[in-house]
Amino acid sequence: MKSKRQNKILDMIDNNEIETQEELVTKLNESGFKVTQATISRDIKELQLIKVQANSGAYKYAVNKKHKTNDLDILMRIFKDTVVSIDFASNLLVIKTLSGSANAAAEVIDSLHFNGIMGTLAGDNTIFVATDSQQASEEIAGKLMKIINK
């Protein structure tokens, strides 16, 4: 529920000029998420949202792009350094990593928002990626191979 709510928050601030926590609470409640201001305050902190000036001159919530870029750069290095193999069959990718690295590598895959990914599941050293087709599996495997071969 928390991840769905936080994804909805990111979607809302991307598509609307949300100025206050109260406005965010109202919009989330209207979307079926029963939340309080305290919950939203924690979500804003966890998502590391910032306030930026909108075109209207008012301030709105936004993603701290500098922070996200730095995190993704670090995760991409981890991905490149820890992935051992990438295989696929039908609509499933199986990615092997060094022991203890699968969660960080899966975070990279999730952060890249590739079309066709239905979900990821990470264990200690293995990631399963479910895609919507064999073609998507092939394309995503190719993109991931390019990352580790750079």
Side-chain angles (χ1 to χ4, degrees):
M1 186 66 162
K2 178 179 176 180
S3 63
K4 286 182 182 180
R5 182 183 67 245
Q6 289 184 347
N7 284 333
K8 185 66 172 176
I9 290 170
L10 293 173
D11 182 55
M12 285 181 167
I13 66 169
D14 192 41
N15 295 310
N16 302 284
E17 291 188 1
I18 308 285
E19 295 181 35
T20 65
Q21 290 182 9
E22 292 79 15
E23 186 178 352
L24 194 52
V25 168
T26 300
K27 288 192 177 292
L28 283 166
N29 283 327
E30 290 170 358
S31 295
F33 293 90
K34 300 301 175 204
V35 296
T36 64
Q37 185 274 331
T39 301
I40 296 308
S41 180
R42 284 189 297 274
D43 286 340
I44 288 169
K45 184 176 181 177
E46 286 179 21
L47 294 168
Q48 298 183 0
L49 300 181
I50 59 172
K51 286 239 181 159
V52 297
Q53 194 165 21
N55 294 334
S56 65
Y59 285 88
K60 66 175 188 168
Y61 283 104
V63 174
N64 185 346
K65 291 186 188 322
K66 181 179 179 188
H67 178 76
K68 291 289 181 189
T69 300
N70 291 339
D71 284 352
L72 187 56
D73 290 343
I74 291 166
L75 288 171
M76 292 293 269
R77 278 195 303 268
I78 292 169
F79 187 85
K80 184 178 176 177
D81 292 342
T82 63
V83 170
V84 175
S85 68
I86 300 173
D87 294 305
F88 68 92
S90 189
N91 69 325
L92 184 67
L93 281 88
V94 179
I95 301 165
K96 293 289 195 174
T97 69
L98 298 176
S99 185
S101 302
N103 281 309
E107 179 67 22
V108 171
I109 295 167
D110 291 340
S111 298
L112 293 171
H113 303 289
F114 288 137
N115 287 332
I117 292 181
M118 300 186 70
T120 58
L121 179 65
D124 185 59
N125 65 346
T126 305
I127 305 165
F128 291 111
V129 181
T131 65
D132 60 10
S133 67
Q134 181 169 340
Q135 180 181 353
S137 292
E138 291 176 30
E139 291 172 4
I140 293 165
K143 290 175 183 179
L144 296 174
M145 289 299 292
K146 285 181 183 176
I147 293 170
I148 64 173
N149 290 326
K150 280 187 178 179

